[in-house]
Amino acid sequence: MATSNSPITNFINHHYRHFNAAALKEAAVAYRHHLDEGGIMFLTLAGAMSTAELGVSLAEMIRQDKVHAICCTGANLEEDVFNLVAHDYYERIPNYRDLTPLDEQKLLDRHMNRVTDTCIPEMEAMRRIESVVLEEWVAADKKGERYFPHEFMYKILRSNKLEKSYQIDPKNSWLLAAAQKNLPMIVPGWEDATLGNMYAGHVISGDVKNVHTVRTGIEYMMELAEWYTKTSKPMGSLGNIGFFQIGGGIAGDFPICVVPMLHQDLQREEVPLWGYFCQISDSTTSYGSYSGAVPNEKITWGKLGVDTPKFIVESDASIVAPLIFSYILGW
């Protein structure tokens, strides 16, 4: 926990007094309090946080048991591994706002796929991982076995097949930390990720015979429902599972819905609501937008309670999340 000689913690305590800065500090303090009281934290990861190298702080959060389960997009699942094995081939484009369509075409011609200011190299990252994961898909397919997308990635990382190809310090890979902890993982909408597209191609070409070899979607919600039911316990007037959301979209909306589903569709009314909620978002409040909805709207959907501590930090997650994590880690 934070101590009096923790530089980042001291800086936040002294300077972060108002507006989004105050919201950041209050969310971090409440997160720490939730853990201190015996609670656990469910984290959701949207955007391009793996390519933003959030693993530098998130991996340590996982190792120190400050994060206990994760829901992420398929892109974040794979891009942490892409960065792990191909970091030296990445290119940063600091002037990305000035690129012309012709500049973008030149990047495509070099097989450099741009994510804001960073280009992911197709051959060194995507195709290298495709060849390794394809072996696992085919092997499972031949045995009639089925696994979730994250389970295939866990198997690859634990096998050390990629270890000789690591180009960053492995302690900065959040997925490797999660695999080592066997962290519960949910990856909704995996099909729209690069590896999801590749998997569809290998099913079409016949390399994988059974499309259901990779488990997805509804089965993930079923897994989450059972995990939440088994793990959740009353903690005072609230539940023991907190919800820390980075970005919006399916990574956040999919898992937070598990509570109303348990209550309304399965009549497991004894299951507690989420016991903490924080969202880091650069989405402005807007009509009908999940990402732009204020936390109180979630009360009407049975996702949060009146007394659930609720925070929203309207800022860039690549700035905010490492600060909150550092505060919690006592850095």
Side-chain angles (χ1 to χ4, degrees), residues 41-104:
M41 194 62 69
F42 186 97
L43 181 140
T44 78
L45 203 57
M49 290 297 101
S50 289
T51 294
E53 298 187 74
L54 190 63
V56 172
S57 54
L58 178 55
E60 190 63 20
M61 289 284 285
I62 294 168
R63 280 191 291 271
Q64 292 197 25
D65 296 317
K66 313 298 186 192
V67 170
H68 305 86
I70 289 178
C71 179
C72 72
T73 59
N76 275 306
L77 181 76
E78 66 195 17
E79 286 177 17
D80 184 78
V81 184
F82 293 165
N83 182 60
L84 179 64
V85 302
H87 181 79
D88 293 350
Y89 297 95
Y90 278 54
E91 290 183 18
R92 186 160 178 270
I93 313 291
N95 63 329
Y96 68 92
R97 291 180 176 88
D98 301 325
L99 295 179
T100 66
L102 183 57
D103 293 330
E104 305 279 20

Short mmCIF file of all heavy atoms in Angstrom, two decimals, residues 41-104:
data_model
loop_
_atom_site.label_atom_id
_atom_site.label_comp_id
_atom_site.label_asym_id
_atom_site.label_seq_id
_atom_site.Cartn_x
_atom_site.Cartn_y
_atom_site.Cartn_z
N MET A 41 -11.33 -7.08 -7.43
CA MET A 41 -11.60 -6.15 -8.52
C MET A 41 -11.62 -6.86 -9.87
O MET A 41 -10.72 -7.61 -10.21
CB MET A 41 -10.55 -5.04 -8.53
CG MET A 41 -10.92 -3.86 -9.40
SD MET A 41 -12.44 -3.00 -8.87
CE MET A 41 -11.89 -2.23 -7.34
N PHE A 42 -12.70 -6.57 -10.61
CA PHE A 42 -12.88 -7.04 -11.98
C PHE A 42 -12.55 -5.86 -12.88
O PHE A 42 -13.14 -4.79 -12.75
CB PHE A 42 -14.34 -7.48 -12.17
CG PHE A 42 -14.64 -8.11 -13.50
CD1 PHE A 42 -14.66 -9.49 -13.63
CD2 PHE A 42 -14.94 -7.34 -14.62
CE1 PHE A 42 -14.97 -10.09 -14.85
CE2 PHE A 42 -15.24 -7.93 -15.84
CZ PHE A 42 -15.25 -9.30 -15.96
N LEU A 43 -11.60 -6.04 -13.80
CA LEU A 43 -11.15 -4.95 -14.66
C LEU A 43 -11.55 -5.21 -16.10
O LEU A 43 -11.46 -6.34 -16.58
CB LEU A 43 -9.63 -4.81 -14.55
CG LEU A 43 -8.98 -3.69 -15.36
CD1 LEU A 43 -7.86 -3.04 -14.54
CD2 LEU A 43 -8.39 -4.23 -16.68
N THR A 44 -12.00 -4.16 -16.79
CA THR A 44 -12.34 -4.29 -18.20
C THR A 44 -11.42 -3.41 -19.03
O THR A 44 -11.08 -2.30 -18.63
CB THR A 44 -13.82 -3.94 -18.48
OG1 THR A 44 -14.00 -2.52 -18.50
CG2 THR A 44 -14.72 -4.56 -17.44
N LEU A 45 -11.04 -3.92 -20.20
CA LEU A 45 -10.00 -3.30 -21.00
C LEU A 45 -10.47 -3.13 -22.44
O LEU A 45 -10.59 -4.10 -23.18
CB LEU A 45 -8.75 -4.19 -20.96
CG LEU A 45 -7.39 -3.60 -21.24
CD1 LEU A 45 -7.08 -2.46 -20.29
CD2 LEU A 45 -6.33 -4.69 -21.13
N ALA A 46 -10.78 -1.88 -22.80
CA ALA A 46 -11.18 -1.58 -24.18
C ALA A 46 -10.09 -0.75 -24.84
O ALA A 46 -8.98 -0.63 -24.33
CB ALA A 46 -12.52 -0.84 -24.17
N GLY A 47 -10.41 -0.15 -25.98
CA GLY A 47 -9.42 0.67 -26.67
C GLY A 47 -8.22 -0.13 -27.10
O GLY A 47 -8.29 -1.34 -27.28
N ALA A 48 -7.11 0.54 -27.25
CA ALA A 48 -5.87 -0.11 -27.70
C ALA A 48 -4.84 -0.08 -26.57
O ALA A 48 -3.68 0.27 -26.76
CB ALA A 48 -5.31 0.58 -28.93
N MET A 49 -5.28 -0.48 -25.38
CA MET A 49 -4.43 -0.35 -24.20
C MET A 49 -3.21 -1.26 -24.23
O MET A 49 -2.18 -0.95 -23.65
CB MET A 49 -5.26 -0.60 -22.94
CG MET A 49 -6.26 0.49 -22.62
SD MET A 49 -5.48 2.10 -22.28
CE MET A 49 -5.72 2.94 -23.85
N SER A 50 -3.31 -2.41 -24.90
CA SER A 50 -2.14 -3.28 -24.98
C SER A 50 -1.07 -2.66 -25.87
O SER A 50 0.13 -2.69 -25.53
CB SER A 50 -2.53 -4.66 -25.52
OG SER A 50 -3.26 -5.38 -24.55
N THR A 51 -1.47 -2.08 -26.99
CA THR A 51 -0.52 -1.39 -27.85
C THR A 51 0.01 -0.13 -27.17
O THR A 51 1.15 0.28 -27.42
CB THR A 51 -1.17 -1.07 -29.22
OG1 THR A 51 -1.44 -2.31 -29.89
CG2 THR A 51 -0.27 -0.22 -30.09
N ALA A 52 -0.80 0.45 -26.28
CA ALA A 52 -0.33 1.59 -25.48
C ALA A 52 0.59 1.14 -24.35
O ALA A 52 1.03 1.95 -23.55
CB ALA A 52 -1.52 2.35 -24.91
N GLU A 53 0.86 -0.16 -24.27
CA GLU A 53 1.79 -0.76 -23.30
C GLU A 53 1.34 -0.53 -21.85
O GLU A 53 2.15 -0.26 -20.96
CB GLU A 53 3.22 -0.26 -23.52
CG GLU A 53 3.75 -0.64 -24.91
CD GLU A 53 5.22 -0.32 -25.11
OE1 GLU A 53 6.07 -1.04 -24.53
OE2 GLU A 53 5.51 0.64 -25.83
N LEU A 54 0.05 -0.69 -21.62
CA LEU A 54 -0.47 -0.57 -20.26
C LEU A 54 0.07 -1.68 -19.36
O LEU A 54 0.05 -1.58 -18.14
CB LEU A 54 -2.00 -0.62 -20.27
CG LEU A 54 -2.70 -0.27 -18.95
CD1 LEU A 54 -2.41 1.17 -18.55
CD2 LEU A 54 -4.19 -0.51 -19.03
N GLY A 55 0.59 -2.74 -19.98
CA GLY A 55 1.16 -3.84 -19.21
C GLY A 55 2.27 -3.42 -18.27
O GLY A 55 2.53 -4.10 -17.27
N VAL A 56 2.92 -2.30 -18.54
CA VAL A 56 4.01 -1.82 -17.68
C VAL A 56 3.50 -1.64 -16.24
O VAL A 56 4.22 -1.91 -15.28
CB VAL A 56 4.59 -0.51 -18.22
CG1 VAL A 56 5.59 0.10 -17.24
CG2 VAL A 56 5.26 -0.75 -19.58
N SER A 57 2.25 -1.20 -16.08
CA SER A 57 1.68 -1.07 -14.73
C SER A 57 0.64 -2.15 -14.43
O SER A 57 0.57 -2.64 -13.30
CB SER A 57 1.04 0.31 -14.56
OG SER A 57 0.09 0.58 -15.58
N LEU A 58 -0.13 -2.55 -15.43
CA LEU A 58 -1.19 -3.54 -15.19
C LEU A 58 -0.63 -4.90 -14.79
O LEU A 58 -1.21 -5.59 -13.93
CB LEU A 58 -2.08 -3.67 -16.43
CG LEU A 58 -3.21 -4.71 -16.34
CD1 LEU A 58 -4.11 -4.45 -15.15
CD2 LEU A 58 -4.02 -4.72 -17.65
N ALA A 59 0.48 -5.31 -15.37
CA ALA A 59 1.05 -6.62 -15.03
C ALA A 59 1.38 -6.69 -13.54
O ALA A 59 1.15 -7.72 -12.89
CB ALA A 59 2.30 -6.88 -15.87
N GLU A 60 1.91 -5.62 -12.99
CA GLU A 60 2.24 -5.62 -11.57
C GLU A 60 0.98 -5.62 -10.72
O GLU A 60 0.95 -6.23 -9.64
CB GLU A 60 3.12 -4.41 -11.23
CG GLU A 60 3.70 -4.44 -9.83
CD GLU A 60 4.66 -5.60 -9.59
OE1 GLU A 60 5.18 -6.20 -10.56
OE2 GLU A 60 4.90 -5.92 -8.40
N MET A 61 -0.08 -4.96 -11.17
CA MET A 61 -1.37 -5.01 -10.47
C MET A 61 -1.86 -6.45 -10.37
O MET A 61 -2.39 -6.88 -9.34
CB MET A 61 -2.39 -4.15 -11.20
CG MET A 61 -2.17 -2.66 -11.09
SD MET A 61 -2.65 -1.98 -9.48
CE MET A 61 -4.45 -1.99 -9.63
N ILE A 62 -1.68 -7.20 -11.45
CA ILE A 62 -2.10 -8.61 -11.46
C ILE A 62 -1.22 -9.43 -10.52
O ILE A 62 -1.72 -10.21 -9.71
CB ILE A 62 -2.04 -9.17 -12.90
CG1 ILE A 62 -3.08 -8.47 -13.78
CG2 ILE A 62 -2.25 -10.69 -12.90
CD1 ILE A 62 -2.91 -8.75 -15.27
N ARG A 63 0.09 -9.22 -10.60
CA ARG A 63 1.01 -9.99 -9.76
C ARG A 63 0.76 -9.74 -8.27
O ARG A 63 0.90 -10.64 -7.45
CB ARG A 63 2.46 -9.66 -10.12
CG ARG A 63 2.98 -10.37 -11.36
CD ARG A 63 4.47 -10.21 -11.51
NE ARG A 63 4.84 -8.85 -11.84
CZ ARG A 63 4.93 -8.37 -13.08
NH1 ARG A 63 4.67 -9.16 -14.11
NH2 ARG A 63 5.28 -7.12 -13.29
N GLN A 64 0.38 -8.51 -7.94
CA GLN A 64 0.17 -8.18 -6.52
C GLN A 64 -1.30 -8.35 -6.09
O GLN A 64 -1.69 -7.87 -5.03
CB GLN A 64 0.64 -6.74 -6.25
CG GLN A 64 2.14 -6.56 -6.37
CD GLN A 64 2.63 -5.29 -5.70
OE1 GLN A 64 2.02 -4.76 -4.79
NE2 GLN A 64 3.76 -4.80 -6.17
N ASP A 65 -2.07 -9.04 -6.90
CA ASP A 65 -3.47 -9.36 -6.55
C ASP A 65 -4.32 -8.12 -6.31
O ASP A 65 -5.19 -8.10 -5.44
CB ASP A 65 -3.51 -10.27 -5.31
CG ASP A 65 -2.87 -11.63 -5.56
OD1 ASP A 65 -3.11 -12.20 -6.64
OD2 ASP A 65 -2.11 -12.10 -4.70
N LYS A 66 -4.09 -7.10 -7.12
CA LYS A 66 -4.94 -5.91 -7.09
C LYS A 66 -5.99 -5.97 -8.20
O LYS A 66 -6.91 -5.16 -8.24
CB LYS A 66 -4.11 -4.63 -7.29
CG LYS A 66 -2.85 -4.54 -6.44
CD LYS A 66 -3.14 -4.53 -4.96
CE LYS A 66 -1.84 -4.28 -4.17
NZ LYS A 66 -2.03 -4.55 -2.73
N VAL A 67 -5.83 -6.92 -9.12
CA VAL A 67 -6.82 -7.21 -10.17
C VAL A 67 -7.03 -8.72 -10.13
O VAL A 67 -6.07 -9.49 -10.14
CB VAL A 67 -6.32 -6.77 -11.57
CG1 VAL A 67 -7.23 -7.31 -12.66
CG2 VAL A 67 -6.25 -5.25 -11.65
N HIS A 68 -8.30 -9.14 -10.11
CA HIS A 68 -8.60 -10.56 -9.89
C HIS A 68 -9.29 -11.24 -11.06
O HIS A 68 -9.42 -12.47 -11.08
CB HIS A 68 -9.44 -10.71 -8.63
CG HIS A 68 -8.81 -10.09 -7.42
ND1 HIS A 68 -8.97 -8.75 -7.11
CD2 HIS A 68 -7.98 -10.60 -6.48
CE1 HIS A 68 -8.29 -8.47 -6.00
NE2 HIS A 68 -7.68 -9.57 -5.61
N ALA A 69 -9.76 -10.48 -12.03
CA ALA A 69 -10.39 -11.02 -13.24
C ALA A 69 -10.40 -9.90 -14.27
O ALA A 69 -10.42 -8.72 -13.90
CB ALA A 69 -11.79 -11.53 -12.97
N ILE A 70 -10.40 -10.27 -15.54
CA ILE A 70 -10.34 -9.27 -16.62
C ILE A 70 -11.32 -9.63 -17.72
O ILE A 70 -11.46 -10.80 -18.10
CB ILE A 70 -8.91 -9.17 -17.21
CG1 ILE A 70 -7.97 -8.50 -16.20
CG2 ILE A 70 -8.90 -8.39 -18.52
CD1 ILE A 70 -6.52 -8.39 -16.67
N CYS A 71 -11.98 -8.60 -18.25
CA CYS A 71 -12.72 -8.72 -19.51
C CYS A 71 -12.05 -7.78 -20.49
O CYS A 71 -11.90 -6.58 -20.20
CB CYS A 71 -14.19 -8.34 -19.32
SG CYS A 71 -15.16 -8.45 -20.85
N CYS A 72 -11.63 -8.29 -21.63
CA CYS A 72 -10.96 -7.44 -22.62
C CYS A 72 -11.45 -7.76 -24.02
O CYS A 72 -12.06 -8.79 -24.26
CB CYS A 72 -9.44 -7.62 -22.54
SG CYS A 72 -8.82 -9.19 -23.18
N THR A 73 -11.18 -6.86 -24.91
CA THR A 73 -11.47 -7.10 -26.32
C THR A 73 -10.47 -8.11 -26.88
O THR A 73 -9.38 -8.30 -26.33
CB THR A 73 -11.35 -5.80 -27.13
OG1 THR A 73 -10.02 -5.29 -26.97
CG2 THR A 73 -12.37 -4.77 -26.67
N GLY A 74 -10.84 -8.73 -27.99
CA GLY A 74 -9.92 -9.63 -28.66
C GLY A 74 -8.65 -8.92 -29.09
O GLY A 74 -7.56 -9.50 -29.08
N ALA A 75 -8.78 -7.64 -29.46
CA ALA A 75 -7.60 -6.87 -29.87
C ALA A 75 -6.62 -6.73 -28.72
O ALA A 75 -5.41 -6.92 -28.89
CB ALA A 75 -8.03 -5.50 -30.39
N ASN A 76 -7.11 -6.40 -27.52
CA ASN A 76 -6.20 -6.26 -26.38
C ASN A 76 -5.57 -7.59 -25.99
O ASN A 76 -4.42 -7.64 -25.56
CB ASN A 76 -6.93 -5.64 -25.19
CG ASN A 76 -6.94 -4.13 -25.26
OD1 ASN A 76 -5.90 -3.50 -25.39
ND2 ASN A 76 -8.12 -3.54 -25.18
N LEU A 77 -6.32 -8.68 -26.14
CA LEU A 77 -5.78 -10.01 -25.83
C LEU A 77 -4.57 -10.32 -26.70
O LEU A 77 -3.51 -10.72 -26.21
CB LEU A 77 -6.87 -11.06 -26.05
CG LEU A 77 -6.48 -12.51 -25.75
CD1 LEU A 77 -6.44 -12.76 -24.24
CD2 LEU A 77 -7.45 -13.49 -26.41
N GLU A 78 -4.71 -10.10 -28.00
CA GLU A 78 -3.65 -10.48 -28.93
C GLU A 78 -2.54 -9.43 -29.00
O GLU A 78 -1.36 -9.77 -29.16
CB GLU A 78 -4.22 -10.71 -30.32
CG GLU A 78 -4.79 -9.46 -30.99
CD GLU A 78 -5.68 -9.77 -32.19
OE1 GLU A 78 -6.11 -10.93 -32.32
OE2 GLU A 78 -5.94 -8.85 -32.98
N GLU A 79 -2.89 -8.15 -28.86
CA GLU A 79 -1.89 -7.11 -29.06
C GLU A 79 -0.86 -7.06 -27.95
O GLU A 79 0.26 -6.60 -28.16
CB GLU A 79 -2.57 -5.75 -29.26
CG GLU A 79 -3.22 -5.64 -30.63
CD GLU A 79 -3.96 -4.33 -30.87
OE1 GLU A 79 -3.73 -3.36 -30.11
OE2 GLU A 79 -4.77 -4.27 -31.82
N ASP A 80 -1.21 -7.56 -26.76
CA ASP A 80 -0.18 -7.67 -25.72
C ASP A 80 0.88 -8.69 -26.13
O ASP A 80 2.07 -8.48 -25.90
CB ASP A 80 -0.81 -8.07 -24.39
CG ASP A 80 0.21 -8.10 -23.26
OD1 ASP A 80 0.55 -7.01 -22.75
OD2 ASP A 80 0.68 -9.20 -22.91
N VAL A 81 0.45 -9.77 -26.77
CA VAL A 81 1.40 -10.79 -27.22
C VAL A 81 2.16 -10.31 -28.45
O VAL A 81 3.37 -10.57 -28.58
CB VAL A 81 0.69 -12.13 -27.50
CG1 VAL A 81 1.69 -13.21 -27.87
CG2 VAL A 81 -0.11 -12.57 -26.28
N PHE A 82 1.49 -9.60 -29.35
CA PHE A 82 2.20 -9.02 -30.50
C PHE A 82 3.36 -8.16 -30.01
O PHE A 82 4.49 -8.26 -30.50
CB PHE A 82 1.26 -8.13 -31.33
CG PHE A 82 0.15 -8.85 -32.04
CD1 PHE A 82 -0.93 -8.14 -32.56
CD2 PHE A 82 0.15 -10.22 -32.21
CE1 PHE A 82 -1.96 -8.77 -33.22
CE2 PHE A 82 -0.88 -10.88 -32.87
CZ PHE A 82 -1.94 -10.14 -33.39
N ASN A 83 3.07 -7.30 -29.02
CA ASN A 83 4.10 -6.40 -28.49
C ASN A 83 5.21 -7.20 -27.80
O ASN A 83 6.39 -6.84 -27.88
CB ASN A 83 3.46 -5.42 -27.51
CG ASN A 83 4.45 -4.42 -26.94
OD1 ASN A 83 5.06 -3.65 -27.68
ND2 ASN A 83 4.62 -4.42 -25.63
N LEU A 84 4.84 -8.29 -27.16
CA LEU A 84 5.82 -9.11 -26.45
C LEU A 84 6.87 -9.69 -27.39
O LEU A 84 8.05 -9.74 -27.05
CB LEU A 84 5.08 -10.24 -25.72
CG LEU A 84 5.91 -11.25 -24.91
CD1 LEU A 84 6.62 -10.56 -23.74
CD2 LEU A 84 5.00 -12.38 -24.40
N VAL A 85 6.44 -10.09 -28.60
CA VAL A 85 7.37 -10.79 -29.50
C VAL A 85 7.88 -9.94 -30.65
O VAL A 85 8.79 -10.37 -31.37
CB VAL A 85 6.71 -12.06 -30.08
CG1 VAL A 85 6.26 -13.00 -28.96
CG2 VAL A 85 5.54 -11.73 -31.01
N ALA A 86 7.33 -8.76 -30.86
CA ALA A 86 7.71 -7.99 -32.06
C ALA A 86 7.97 -6.52 -31.76
O ALA A 86 7.99 -5.69 -32.68
CB ALA A 86 6.61 -8.12 -33.12
N HIS A 87 8.18 -6.17 -30.51
CA HIS A 87 8.30 -4.76 -30.12
C HIS A 87 9.37 -4.02 -30.91
O HIS A 87 9.21 -2.84 -31.27
CB HIS A 87 8.61 -4.67 -28.62
CG HIS A 87 8.72 -3.27 -28.12
ND1 HIS A 87 7.63 -2.49 -27.83
CD2 HIS A 87 9.81 -2.49 -27.85
CE1 HIS A 87 8.02 -1.30 -27.41
NE2 HIS A 87 9.34 -1.28 -27.41
N ASP A 88 10.48 -4.68 -31.20
CA ASP A 88 11.60 -4.01 -31.90
C ASP A 88 11.22 -3.60 -33.32
O ASP A 88 11.91 -2.76 -33.92
CB ASP A 88 12.82 -4.93 -31.95
CG ASP A 88 13.41 -5.18 -30.57
OD1 ASP A 88 12.99 -4.51 -29.60
OD2 ASP A 88 14.27 -6.08 -30.45
N TYR A 89 10.17 -4.22 -33.87
CA TYR A 89 9.76 -3.92 -35.24
C TYR A 89 8.62 -2.90 -35.31
O TYR A 89 8.23 -2.49 -36.41
CB TYR A 89 9.32 -5.21 -35.95
CG TYR A 89 10.44 -6.22 -36.09
CD1 TYR A 89 10.61 -7.24 -35.16
CD2 TYR A 89 11.34 -6.15 -37.16
CE1 TYR A 89 11.63 -8.17 -35.28
CE2 TYR A 89 12.37 -7.07 -37.29
CZ TYR A 89 12.51 -8.08 -36.35
OH TYR A 89 13.53 -8.99 -36.48
N TYR A 90 8.09 -2.52 -34.17
CA TYR A 90 7.04 -1.50 -34.14
C TYR A 90 7.63 -0.16 -34.59
O TYR A 90 8.82 0.11 -34.39
CB TYR A 90 6.47 -1.35 -32.73
CG TYR A 90 5.42 -2.36 -32.35
CD1 TYR A 90 5.65 -3.73 -32.46
CD2 TYR A 90 4.18 -1.95 -31.87
CE1 TYR A 90 4.70 -4.65 -32.09
CE2 TYR A 90 3.21 -2.86 -31.49
CZ TYR A 90 3.47 -4.22 -31.60
OH TYR A 90 2.51 -5.13 -31.25
N GLU A 91 6.79 0.67 -35.16
CA GLU A 91 7.21 2.02 -35.54
C GLU A 91 6.23 3.02 -34.93
O GLU A 91 5.02 2.85 -35.04
CB GLU A 91 7.24 2.19 -37.06
CG GLU A 91 8.35 1.41 -37.73
CD GLU A 91 8.39 1.65 -39.24
OE1 GLU A 91 7.81 2.67 -39.69
OE2 GLU A 91 9.00 0.83 -39.95
N ARG A 92 6.77 4.04 -34.29
CA ARG A 92 5.92 5.09 -33.75
C ARG A 92 5.84 6.22 -34.77
O ARG A 92 6.83 6.60 -35.39
CB ARG A 92 6.49 5.61 -32.42
CG ARG A 92 5.54 6.59 -31.77
CD ARG A 92 5.75 6.78 -30.29
NE ARG A 92 4.81 7.78 -29.80
CZ ARG A 92 5.06 9.07 -29.75
NH1 ARG A 92 6.24 9.53 -30.15
NH2 ARG A 92 4.14 9.92 -29.32
N ILE A 93 4.63 6.74 -34.95
CA ILE A 93 4.37 7.81 -35.92
C ILE A 93 3.89 9.03 -35.15
O ILE A 93 2.68 9.26 -34.99
CB ILE A 93 3.30 7.39 -36.96
CG1 ILE A 93 3.59 6.00 -37.52
CG2 ILE A 93 3.20 8.42 -38.08
CD1 ILE A 93 4.80 5.91 -38.40
N PRO A 94 4.80 9.84 -34.59
CA PRO A 94 4.38 10.96 -33.76
C PRO A 94 3.55 12.01 -34.51
O PRO A 94 2.75 12.71 -33.90
CB PRO A 94 5.71 11.55 -33.25
CG PRO A 94 6.74 11.07 -34.20
CD PRO A 94 6.27 9.74 -34.70
N ASN A 95 3.72 12.09 -35.83
CA ASN A 95 2.98 13.08 -36.62
C ASN A 95 1.78 12.45 -37.32
O ASN A 95 1.39 12.87 -38.42
CB ASN A 95 3.90 13.72 -37.68
CG ASN A 95 4.40 12.69 -38.69
OD1 ASN A 95 4.56 11.53 -38.35
ND2 ASN A 95 4.61 13.12 -39.93
N TYR A 96 1.14 11.46 -36.66
CA TYR A 96 0.07 10.70 -37.33
C TYR A 96 -1.09 11.59 -37.77
O TYR A 96 -1.80 11.26 -38.73
CB TYR A 96 -0.43 9.58 -36.42
CG TYR A 96 -1.18 10.04 -35.19
CD1 TYR A 96 -2.56 10.18 -35.20
CD2 TYR A 96 -0.49 10.35 -34.02
CE1 TYR A 96 -3.24 10.61 -34.07
CE2 TYR A 96 -1.17 10.76 -32.89
CZ TYR A 96 -2.54 10.90 -32.92
OH TYR A 96 -3.22 11.33 -31.81
N ARG A 97 -1.31 12.70 -37.10
CA ARG A 97 -2.41 13.59 -37.48
C ARG A 97 -2.18 14.24 -38.84
O ARG A 97 -3.12 14.73 -39.47
CB ARG A 97 -2.61 14.68 -36.42
CG ARG A 97 -3.16 14.17 -35.09
CD ARG A 97 -3.32 15.33 -34.11
NE ARG A 97 -3.94 14.89 -32.86
CZ ARG A 97 -3.27 14.43 -31.83
NH1 ARG A 97 -1.95 14.31 -31.90
NH2 ARG A 97 -3.89 14.07 -30.72
N ASP A 98 -0.93 14.26 -39.28
CA ASP A 98 -0.60 14.92 -40.55
C ASP A 98 -0.54 13.97 -41.73
O ASP A 98 -0.25 14.38 -42.85
CB ASP A 98 0.76 15.63 -40.42
CG ASP A 98 0.78 16.66 -39.31
OD1 ASP A 98 -0.26 17.30 -39.09
OD2 ASP A 98 1.83 16.81 -38.66
N LEU A 99 -0.78 12.67 -41.50
CA LEU A 99 -0.66 11.70 -42.58
C LEU A 99 -1.74 11.92 -43.65
O LEU A 99 -2.91 12.17 -43.33
CB LEU A 99 -0.78 10.28 -42.03
CG LEU A 99 0.31 9.81 -41.07
CD1 LEU A 99 0.02 8.39 -40.59
CD2 LEU A 99 1.69 9.88 -41.72
N THR A 100 -1.33 11.81 -44.89
CA THR A 100 -2.28 11.88 -46.01
C THR A 100 -2.75 10.47 -46.35
O THR A 100 -2.14 9.47 -45.91
CB THR A 100 -1.60 12.48 -47.24
OG1 THR A 100 -0.59 11.56 -47.70
CG2 THR A 100 -0.97 13.83 -46.92
N PRO A 101 -3.82 10.33 -47.12
CA PRO A 101 -4.21 8.99 -47.57
C PRO A 101 -3.07 8.24 -48.26
O PRO A 101 -2.94 7.03 -48.11
CB PRO A 101 -5.37 9.28 -48.53
CG PRO A 101 -5.98 10.54 -48.01
CD PRO A 101 -4.81 11.36 -47.53
N LEU A 102 -2.24 8.96 -49.01
CA LEU A 102 -1.11 8.32 -49.67
C LEU A 102 -0.09 7.81 -48.66
O LEU A 102 0.47 6.72 -48.81
CB LEU A 102 -0.44 9.30 -50.64
CG LEU A 102 0.72 8.73 -51.48
CD1 LEU A 102 0.26 7.53 -52.29
CD2 LEU A 102 1.32 9.82 -52.38
N ASP A 103 0.13 8.59 -47.60
CA ASP A 103 1.03 8.13 -46.53
C ASP A 103 0.51 6.84 -45.90
O ASP A 103 1.27 5.92 -45.60
CB ASP A 103 1.15 9.21 -45.45
CG ASP A 103 1.87 10.46 -45.93
OD1 ASP A 103 2.73 10.35 -46.81
OD2 ASP A 103 1.55 11.55 -45.40
N GLU A 104 -0.81 6.79 -45.69
CA GLU A 104 -1.42 5.60 -45.09
C GLU A 104 -1.26 4.40 -46.02
O GLU A 104 -1.00 3.28 -45.57
CB GLU A 104 -2.90 5.85 -44.80
CG GLU A 104 -3.21 7.07 -43.94
CD GLU A 104 -3.04 6.82 -42.45
OE1 GLU A 104 -2.35 5.86 -42.05
OE2 GLU A 104 -3.61 7.60 -41.67
#
